[in-house]
């Protein structure tokens, strides 16, 4: 597995950009080289349930930038909240709510399977460990985090543009799916809806959903970085949680920028408060788990259905390209190893349970 080390900054109360007294966790970054690519699908999918189309395909030029190797974790977001006293703007009068999967009929309408429910980013059900991706956060929460991180480090962090996200996800490839291009291989590269997901949704929600063609032994979200990286060293670019970008919603790519910048003008008048998220989540399958698929969410939307954050660091000088060892990577590696052990034990238990049945046959 490739290793991309980055600068780790231990900040003290004196002589630092943000005067942050504790050891600051910076995201583990990968350098994304400049290039040009064909963004979108040559055979665009139609808009579904208000989400925008992924066409027409168009050529975009991208400058060098850094992108976080992993999705933002619960631990990183907790440090931000505790240090800055930030209060995420939630839903409803209590400002403490998050969309979640529900049993059919428990939502606002009989056929709805999601509903706003009590909970927030650190609710245990949505944050099983410090090393899971943070959920129940909005695009605005992501912007607040990157603004704080920039102040603490003196670097320029922000959310990616939609073009930067797709360019990084493709990592030099031309296909819509990772590596092999076979949707059946999705469990090698990302955490989408699969056989374990089917068991969990059936057990917890009474859902009968067609499962995917594979099984990664993760029922819902999982520790970041558990799947094969792409050619740029990025993990979880599909699945686990989808990721907000800076762009507001447009019905399609007609008039989109060709320079890789975020498209924040002439927003869709029918979706003024909607922003784009990319990559799909743990509950998605099929065409939702490819590089051109575009989803959307409200600007202040909080969701445990699978919405998260990934960061860009702008490259303005040669100094921004320097890398160094990041202690947080070692923590993540231990968490990943523990998750692998858990999966091995789960697989062994399943095989032991199934063995007598096979013997009887």
């Amino acid at each position: 597995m490739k290793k991309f080390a980055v600068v780790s900054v231990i900040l003290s109360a004196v002589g630092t950009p943000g005067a942050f007294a504790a050891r600051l966790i910076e995201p583990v970054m990968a350098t994304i080289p400049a290039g040009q690519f064909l963004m979108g699908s040559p055979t665009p999918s139609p808009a579904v349930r208000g989400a925008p189309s992924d066409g027409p395909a168009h050529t975009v030029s991208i400058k060098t930038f850094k992108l976080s190797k992993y999705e933002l974790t619960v631990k990183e977001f907790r440090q931000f909240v505790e240090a800055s006293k930030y209060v995420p703007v939630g839903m409803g009068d209590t400002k403490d709510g998050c969309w979640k999967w529900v049993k059919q009929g428990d939502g606002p309408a009989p056929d709805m399977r999601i509903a706003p429910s009590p909970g927030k980013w650190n609710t245990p059900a949505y944050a099983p460990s410090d090393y899971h991706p943070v959920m129940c956060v909005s695009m605005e929460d992501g912007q607040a985090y990157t603004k704080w991180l920039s102040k603490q480090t003196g670097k320029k962090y922000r959310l990616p543009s939609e073009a930067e996200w797709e360019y990084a996800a493709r990592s030099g490839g031309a296909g819509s799916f990772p590596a092999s291009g076979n949707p059946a291989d999705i469990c090698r590269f990302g955490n989408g809806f699969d056989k374990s997901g089917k068991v969990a949704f059936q057990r917890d929600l009474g859902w009968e959903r067609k499962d995917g063609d594979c099984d990664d032994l993760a029922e819902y979200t999982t520790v970041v970085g558990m799947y094969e990286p792409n050619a740029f060293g990025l993990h979880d670019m599909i699945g686990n949680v989808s990721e907000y970008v800076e762009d507001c919603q447009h019905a399609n790519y007609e008039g989109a920028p060709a320079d890789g910048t975020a498209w924040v003008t002439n927003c869709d008048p029918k979706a003024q408060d909607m922003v784009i998220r990319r990559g799909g989540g743990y509950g998605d399958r099929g065409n939702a788990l490819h590089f051109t698929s575009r989803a959307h969410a409200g600007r202040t939307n909080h969701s445990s259905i699978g919405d998260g954050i990934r960061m860009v660091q702008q490259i303005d000088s040669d100094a921004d390209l320097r890398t160094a060892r990041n202690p947080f990577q070692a923590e993540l590696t231990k968490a990943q190893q523990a998750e692998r052990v858990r999966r091995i034990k789960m697989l062994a238990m399943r095989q032991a349970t199934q063995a007598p049945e096979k013997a009887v046959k």
Side-chain angles (χ1 to χ4, degrees), residues 83 154 214-215 347:
C214 60
D215 191 0
L347 181 60

Side-chain angles (χ1 to χ4, degrees), residues 10 21 42 58 71 77 95 101-102 123 133 204 210 224 229 231 251 257 311 321 336 339 353-354:
I10 299 178
H58 56 292
E71 294 159 335
F77 194 76
K95 304 301 181 187
W101 303 107
V102 294
T123 298
D204 300 336
K210 182 180 179 181
V224 300
M311 293 74 62
L321 289 169
Q336 291 160 358
E339 172 61 12
T353 302
Q354 295 169 359

Side-chain angles (χ1 to χ4, degrees), residues 3 18 48 82-83 96 99 110 150 157 164-165 168 178 189 203 218 222 237 246 252 260 276 300 307 324 350-351:
K3 299 293 182 182
V48 178
E82 292 178 350
D96 181 9
W99 287 91
S150 298
Y157 286 101
E164 288 171 330
W165 187 96
F189 303 100
R203 178 193 65 220
T222 189
M237 292 301 286
E246 291 280 1
N252 52 49
I276 301 298
T300 59
D307 299 348
R350 286 187 183 178
Q351 291 173 339

Side-chain angles (χ1 to χ4, degrees), residues 16-39:
T16 60
F20 188 72
R23 174 182 289 183
L24 178 66
I25 304 170
E26 283 197 69
V28 182
M29 307 298 286
T31 299
I32 311 301
Q36 193 176 77
F37 80 114
L38 190 66
M39 182 176 181

Side-chain angles (χ1 to χ4, degrees), residues 206-269:
W207 284 28
E208 291 287 346
R209 293 184 76 190
K210 182 180 179 181
D211 60 296
D213 299 320
C214 60
D215 191 0
D216 62 8
L217 301 175
E219 295 183 338
Y220 297 113
T221 57
T222 189
V223 172
V224 300
M226 291 300 299
Y227 304 86
E228 292 183 28
N230 68 13
F232 288 158
L234 304 169
H235 295 263
D236 306 314
M237 292 301 286
I238 55 167
N240 222 13
V241 292
S242 60
E243 298 157 13
Y244 295 109
V245 295
E246 291 280 1
D247 306 58
C248 61
Q249 180 165 318
H250 299 82
N252 52 49
Y253 287 134
E254 294 285 355
D259 61 358
T261 57
W263 194 8
V264 295
T265 59
N266 303 317
C267 306
D268 187 343

